[in-house]
Amino acid sequence: MTTPGTTPPGPACGCPDFRMSRRRMLGASVAGGGLLAAGQMFGDAFRQVAYGAAPGGNVVVVLSLRGGSDGLSIVVPRGDDHDRLASYRSNIVVPEGTLLGSDPRFGLHPALAPLLPMWNGGRMGAVHAVGLHAPNRSHFDAMEEVEDADPGSSARVGWINRVIGLDGIKGGPETGVSLGGTLLPTSLVGQAPALGAHQVRDFGVADLGASGALRRASLNTMWARTGGPLGGGVRVALASAQKFAPLVDDHEERVHTAAYPEGPLRDVLANTAALVRQDLGTSMIAIDYGDWDMHEGLGRLGEWDWMNRHLTHFAQALKVFFADLGTHASRVTVVTISEFGRRVEENGSGGVDHGYGNAMLLLGAGVAGGAVRGEWPGLRREDLEDGDLAMRHDFREVLWEVVANRFPTVSGRRTSVFPGLAASPAIGIMA
Amino acid sequence: VSQSPVEPTAVRRVGQRVVVHAAPKAPAPLPGRDRHLVRRFSWGITPELVADVRRAGGGRKWFEKQLDPGRVSDPAGSAINGWFPSITQPASKIFTNQRDDVQGAWEVATDLSRWTVARRVHSKRQVHEVMTDFWSNLLNVSLYHDEAMFWRMDYDRLIRRHALSSFELLLRSAITHPAMGLYLDNAFSTKDAPNENLGRELLELHTVGVDGGYTEADVKASARMLTGYRVDTWWPEFKAYYSPQDHDTRPVKVMGFRHANGAADGRAATAAYLTYLARHPSTANRIARRLCVKFVGDSPSPAIVRAVARAYTANRTAIKPTLRALVSHPDFAEAPLKKVRTPMEDYVATVRSLGIRMHRPSNDDAFVRAFYWQYSANGNAPYEWPAPNGYPEAGAAWASAGRVLTGLRHHQDLAARWWPTAQASFPTEASLLPPMPCTLQQLVDHLGLRMLGQKPGAQVSIGVAQVLGMKRSRRLTRDEVLGDYWLLRRIQASLLDSPHHLHR
């Protein structure tokens, strides 16, 4: 999470530094922790139940690469399409000889080397040419569309919220958790209760220097005769906090921050792993990982080059994350998503502007990896859509394949999670 | 006996020194009716506000005076206006500063947020601040929108200018403002390639409402009517202009509105269209209902909604008589302390209740700059709702567990004087006390009067005594209270955590 004082203003690119927009503005680290998010924005507080989904269940971690990641630098075509890519973006194309993995059609950016064992072992895969049902090149609107994932509806309920509201998953506010940011992302907003925090230790009651039990008792007394939505909300908060108390109290031992590489994913993945190991019934975890809006200086393979640096951190941090999960890794699937891809052609600043089709990465339990799955439109001029990688898979198809695979009890509820999403042949990214 | 502060993980900067001032005397409580009016139409009751109400001659007289904010003397608010010079720059300057890497537009937008919250805390023009919030939410233009951001500061000035004038003036200026045009895509809408986004939201969200009786054909016509208000940013140059060649000149029919619309310059026709919508009975009903949900209760009676809508229509959408009708209706006086405070209402009222005074900032540590990183975590920072429909006004939306825990943490951070504290002053602890020695109950009552405008009652007092591990009859000396790190802090934070503070 960037802080206001250390983030430079955005590039002169037609999109003001999106990193600072909305959730990016929430420089929680400045406050020294202690920031906890809004929680559910709609709905009936009385329906909140302070029990998570059943323990021992599967967990899906949605890692949002905010800013529009350049999928063509992450999962790179080989062969003729690589030649074409090199002609469109000669200054920044990842050299074919450096690509990783044995998929004959695609290779991974070399910075992803720490994850290569997972890829080669079939526990990491990718789907390319993924996008919104129609292009939208505004960060703001596209992010809303991706997270709402219900085109044409004004209900303003996020897709993750729809998942955690389904029978079979439904639980308390700890079922859906957002970590690393403090305001719930749109994907988590809706009737089903959800929690958001910078880190797990924030899921406690500010103790006023007293014991947690005394403080909870005092609050319960103060609110004992207060009904209404907030009376219910306070009682749920106190019960949730009690449930989180062991994790909050021992967070220094239980959160293995030091094991992770320095960088924006360090705290948030360490906290995520601790939350999963605690097994409170959390089913869905949303994480924001910003700063992918590479309009200028995307760079090549130098240590400080923007894309290379980001992917290095991403790969190292995720490698540690799966190790840190220990035996719980068998329950956890990570899927990356971004609001749009980038233009195929580089711009005059050694970067790429907002585009359309993008790649999604999938790691962990249930993934049929080792290769790029799904259709590929190609990179010939006539294959492009307004200069962008065309879309072959609606991002919702990929998410649905993950959700249906990891939560079999809801696998018949596609249109409850993604209204209007037609049935489509399986992409095959999940085993 | 002074307790040692809690373990270091939970305590930030314990024992740091803060700048202090003497708190004003605790006033006698206002009569219940006045207290209710002031709670609903201010950002939180304070001893100073109680004194202002008394000076004005009662709640309704105070309210009447507030409806003419230019005549409310406001030295604190004027001072704050000088603290954030970036927000007074014209949109074109904010743009070029962004383009030339001088200052990011997001920094300016964040200053707008800070300035707004500072005004809510310190300005004497409380009703104006409350209504600015209300209309900004109805006509939401999200603060950090990629492109609307350049114009967002100017848009704020527009809302403030019309916050107490008439809805038709407000609507006409807001819908045709470049910020709205960029936010809802009207800036790029042309007769050849109309974009229906604003044309639709104007009907659905800003005026008649989704059940207001319009058709899809009306939406299309609405969008055609609005063509011509162009805004360019990055290309070819930064400007907002009316473009007759982009305006669709075919006749327009939307619900009962008919216009030949033959002129290349469609601005007069657009004004007529927006005036029609502002005065439409469905709009009257919708605005009246939203006002009632904000100021009366989550489920207002049809009677009060009707009364407010009638006043709105009879006064050609003028806002002051509409608000008078609302506060005059018998339903208004019912159910005090039944509206859930939004997280932002809680935050502002917390700073006010604690008597914190913000000073002109000289760096990013200053309270009035750093507090953004505190309040924005509550999910309700000014103008940050990411969609055109605005933050929800009903209490159930703000009753989540996460909201509660965040609020409690902020109460602790501020009541304990942990963060932020720089370039602000806090009341001396001694000046907060009643005549000492006194019982714990007397101390709680005295602080309740200061912070909540009333004694907190038995249930809350028992809860406060519980966290202190004392009986309410316990006799406390001045030295005992001032020598204990936690005693006053626990009482103050607990009062902020109580139902009395978290409702209005």
Side-chain angles (χ1 to χ4, degrees):
Chain A
M1 180 75 64
T2 48
T3 66
T6 57
T7 303
C13 63
C15 62
D17 186 352
F18 120 92
R19 282 169 289 175
M20 280 295 123
S21 70
R22 280 212 308 150
R23 294 187 283 284
R24 298 270 63 75
M25 291 299 298
L26 303 171
S29 55
V30 196
L35 302 178
L36 180 75
Q40 144 215 30
M41 305 290 283
F42 290 100
D44 179 359
F46 298 111
R47 279 180 31 215
Q48 296 188 9
V49 185
Y51 306 98
N58 289 333
V59 183
V60 172
V61 178
V62 180
L63 192 57
S64 292
L65 310 184
R66 303 273 174 192
S69 59
D70 179 35
L72 291 171
S73 290
I74 301 172
V75 179
V76 189
R78 299 180 191 264
D80 290 348
D81 273 336
H82 190 278
D83 296 344
R84 293 184 188 109
L85 191 60
S87 72
Y88 296 125
R89 39 166 81 181
S90 60
N91 292 302
I92 57 170
V93 68
V94 184
E96 188 166 5
T98 64
L99 297 175
L100 305 177
S102 56
D103 186 319
R105 299 184 306 154
F106 298 92
L108 300 178
H109 190 290
L112 297 176
L115 296 173
L116 194 58
M118 284 187 80
W119 180 274
N120 287 338
R123 291 192 299 131
M124 173 181 176
V127 182
H128 225 313
V130 176
L132 291 167
H133 65 286
N136 186 329
R137 296 178 180 84
S138 153
H139 290 298
F140 189 88
D141 296 340
M143 254 191 277
E144 290 302 303
E145 274 199 58
V146 162
E147 300 196 6
D148 194 87
D150 186 6
S153 159
S154 58
R156 307 226 56 79
V157 176
W159 75 270
I160 298 181
N161 196 281
R162 293 194 292 269
V163 173
I164 62 178
L166 293 175
D167 289 333
I169 293 188
K170 193 153 60 184
E174 53 275 10
T175 305
V177 173
S178 169
L179 280 173
T182 51
L183 178 56
L184 284 189
T186 301
S187 57
L188 265 170
V189 168
Q191 280 88 2
L195 285 175
H198 184 57
Q199 40 203 354
V200 291
R201 77 167 194 233
D202 299 339
F203 290 123
V205 176
D207 62 14
L208 304 184
S211 79
L214 189 60
R215 180 70 166 125
R216 287 195 296 270
S218 159
L219 285 160
N220 267 320
T221 303
M222 287 203 295
W223 285 81
R225 299 200 181 157
T226 304
L230 197 54
V234 166
R235 284 180 276 280
V236 169
L238 294 175
S240 271
Q242 189 169 3
K243 193 165 180 182
F244 272 94
L247 181 56
V248 171
D249 293 346
D250 293 337
H251 67 91
E252 280 182 79
E253 290 79 51
R254 293 179 197 231
V255 180
H256 307 149
T257 312
Y260 289 78
E262 270 188 53
L265 285 173
R266 177 185 213 170
D267 278 336
V268 69
L269 287 184
N271 276 272
T272 302
L275 178 63
V276 171
R277 286 194 310 268
Q278 194 70 19
D279 200 6
L280 298 173
T282 302
S283 303
M284 302 280 307
I285 299 173
I287 296 173
D288 277 9
Y289 176 26
D291 206 16
W292 297 87
D293 190 21
M294 303 183 187
H295 285 277
E296 55 177 356
L298 181 142
R300 306 197 72 150
L301 303 181
E303 186 184 352
W304 295 103
D305 286 350
W306 193 346
M307 177 61 82
N308 190 53
R309 195 172 76 241
H310 271 45
L311 289 177
T312 301
H313 175 64
F314 171 87
Q316 290 175 344
L318 274 171
K319 181 187 174 177
V320 176
F321 173 70
F322 278 101
D324 189 25
L325 285 169
T327 55
H328 294 272
S330 63
R331 302 195 282 126
V332 179
T333 312
V334 174
V335 54
T336 71
I337 190 164
S338 197
E339 66 263 37
F340 44 62
R342 315 294 299 194
R343 290 232 183 270
V344 173
E345 200 155 7
E346 69 185 20
N347 61 23
S349 318
V352 270
D353 295 321
H354 302 181
Y356 188 19
N358 203 350
M360 290 170 75
L361 299 176
L362 298 96
L363 301 94
V367 174
V372 176
R373 308 286 176 194
E375 293 176 42
W376 171 248
L379 290 180
R380 292 173 306 173
R381 259 312 150 189
E382 61 269 30
D383 297 331
L384 306 184
E385 180 162 342
D386 291 336
D388 296 340
L389 177 63
M391 185 272 269
R392 282 293 176 272
H393 298 285
D394 189 313
F395 73 99
R396 295 172 297 170
E397 294 171 26
V398 182
L399 294 176
W400 177 244
E401 209 159 304
V402 175
V403 168
N405 178 283
R406 302 319 291 160
F407 306 117
T409 54
V410 305
S411 59
R413 308 287 303 279
R414 184 186 69 249
T415 52
S416 299
V417 176
F418 295 115
L421 179 66
S424 54
I427 299 167
I429 188 61
M430 299 303 285
Chain B
V1 179
S2 177
Q3 298 194 13
S4 64
V6 291
E7 67 279 6
T9 51
V11 176
R12 296 171 285 284
R13 307 186 202 176
V14 165
Q16 73 175 326
R17 303 176 75 87
V18 297
V19 177
V20 292
H21 62 263
K25 274 186 55 150
L30 289 173
R33 221 183 158 81
D34 286 352
R35 188 166 63 219
H36 175 59
L37 174 70
V38 169
R39 271 201 190 114
R40 292 285 166 96
F41 278 94
S42 77
W43 287 91
I45 212 156
T46 64
E48 291 92 337
L49 179 52
V50 170
D52 287 346
V53 172
R54 286 240 158 73
R55 209 172 298 124
R60 280 302 296 270
K61 286 185 174 151
W62 170 84
F63 184 73
E64 202 52 44
K65 211 172 153 196
Q66 287 279 316
L67 291 179
D68 199 354
R71 296 180 60 189
V72 176
S73 162
D74 188 23
S78 304
I80 291 166
N81 290 347
W83 292 357
F84 299 98
S86 72
I87 63 172
T88 63
Q89 302 171 110
S92 57
K93 182 72 180 162
I94 294 168
F95 170 78
T96 51
N97 280 349
Q98 159 94 34
R99 186 194 60 197
D100 302 340
D101 280 346
V102 175
Q103 181 182 40
W106 66 269
E107 296 177 80
V108 184
T110 310
D111 277 352
L112 178 71
S113 179
R114 294 172 170 127
W115 172 79
T116 301
V117 178
R119 285 196 60 86
R120 290 174 182 178
V121 171
H122 285 315
S123 171
K124 292 273 188 190
R125 298 170 184 171
Q126 286 282 298
V127 170
H128 188 241
E129 292 301 324
V130 166
M131 293 310 296
T132 296
D133 177 41
F134 177 82
W135 297 119
S136 301
N137 203 39
L138 178 78
L139 296 162
N140 187 37
V141 172
S142 302
L143 185 60
Y144 295 105
H145 184 272
D146 304 354
E147 299 207 299
M149 179 156 58
F150 300 121
W151 286 96
R152 187 63 183 75
M153 283 41 79
D154 192 72
Y155 185 73
D156 182 69
R157 287 190 281 275
L158 174 165
I159 299 270
R160 286 174 171 272
R161 190 156 59 244
H162 294 303
L164 290 165
S165 66
S166 74
F167 186 65
E168 58 188 60
L169 268 177
L170 180 60
L171 186 74
R172 287 206 304 261
S173 351
I175 296 303
T176 57
H177 191 277
M180 184 64 87
L182 288 165
Y183 182 50
L184 293 180
D185 303 325
N186 197 54
F188 322 111
S189 181
T190 65
K191 63 182 175 195
D192 297 328
N195 184 306
E196 295 172 8
N197 199 0
L198 181 60
R200 179 186 301 277
E201 300 297 18
L202 166 64
L203 294 164
E204 179 178 330
L205 298 177
H206 304 140
T207 60
V208 297
V210 70
D211 304 320
Y214 58 88
T215 64
E216 282 303 300
D218 288 334
V219 169
K220 289 194 166 66
S222 177
R224 287 200 291 108
M225 184 74 262
L226 294 175
T227 50
Y229 290 90
R230 296 294 305 271
V231 193
D232 296 336
T233 54
W234 294 87
W235 187 88
E237 61 173 329
F238 188 88
K239 67 170 177 177
Y241 55 106
Y242 193 82
S243 171
Q245 66 264 34
D246 289 323
H247 176 61
D248 188 317
T249 52
R250 285 173 290 168
V252 167
K253 171 187 164 310
V254 181
M255 302 170 77
F257 177 76
R258 305 275 189 289
H259 202 289
N261 188 33
D265 185 336
R267 281 177 285 193
T270 304
Y273 172 52
L274 294 172
T275 303
Y276 165 83
L277 288 178
R279 295 185 187 177
H280 195 282
S282 299
T283 304
N285 185 58
R286 199 158 164 279
I287 299 286
R289 192 180 148 78
R290 198 164 166 118
L291 284 166
C292 288
V293 169
K294 173 83 178 174
F295 296 110
V296 181
D298 289 349
S299 309
S301 70
I304 189 168
V305 174
R306 250 193 330 268
V308 174
R310 254 199 315 271
Y312 173 94
T313 301
N315 293 282
R316 299 200 160 204
T317 83
I319 293 164
K320 291 177 197 180
T322 305
L323 292 177
R324 283 189 196 108
L326 186 150
V327 300
S328 301
H329 195 276
D331 283 6
F332 174 70
E334 283 175 20
L337 288 178
K338 282 287 190 280
K339 276 293 294 182
V340 173
R341 266 191 171 141
T342 65
M344 209 57 223
E345 287 167 346
D346 169 21
Y347 186 87
V348 175
T350 295
V351 177
R352 287 168 65 86
S353 286
L354 291 169
I356 298 169
R357 294 181 187 162
M358 294 179 253
H359 300 161
R360 171 186 286 275
S362 68
N363 58 41
D364 283 344
D365 287 338
F367 193 110
V368 75
R369 295 195 64 79
F371 76 159
Y372 178 83
W373 306 106
Q374 187 168 52
Y375 70 69
S376 62
N378 69 22
N380 186 213
Y383 323 136
E384 290 192 35
W385 182 256
N389 58 346
Y391 286 116
E393 303 277 16
W398 301 110
S400 73
R403 177 260 153 102
V404 171
L405 295 176
T406 311
L408 303 193
R409 199 173 300 274
H410 289 168
H411 297 159
Q412 173 175 270
D413 278 340
L414 290 166
R417 307 179 175 198
W418 287 346
W419 186 82
T421 57
Q423 297 171 50
S425 70
F426 293 71
T428 62
E429 296 196 332
S431 69
L432 294 172
L433 303 180
M436 302 296 284
C438 70
T439 63
L440 173 60
Q441 182 66 63
Q442 286 169 325
L443 178 56
V444 170
D445 285 345
H446 181 81
L447 290 168
L449 276 178
R450 284 188 169 285
M451 299 174 62
L452 312 170
Q454 67 177 93
K455 295 178 181 176
Q459 199 67 37
V460 169
S461 301
I462 294 168
V464 174
Q466 209 170 351
V467 79
L468 292 169
M470 292 177 182
K471 287 194 155 55
R472 288 186 287 156
S473 56
R474 167 76 175 271
R475 235 175 142 62
L476 295 163
T477 67
R478 187 174 183 280
D479 288 352
E480 192 179 356
V481 174
L482 297 182
D484 184 323
Y485 178 84
W486 273 112
L487 203 148
L488 265 182
R489 286 172 165 83
R490 281 192 186 139
I491 299 174
Q492 289 201 295
S494 294
L495 291 174
L496 297 171
D497 295 345
S498 75
H500 294 67
H501 178 80
L502 286 168
H503 291 91
R504 63 183 169 95

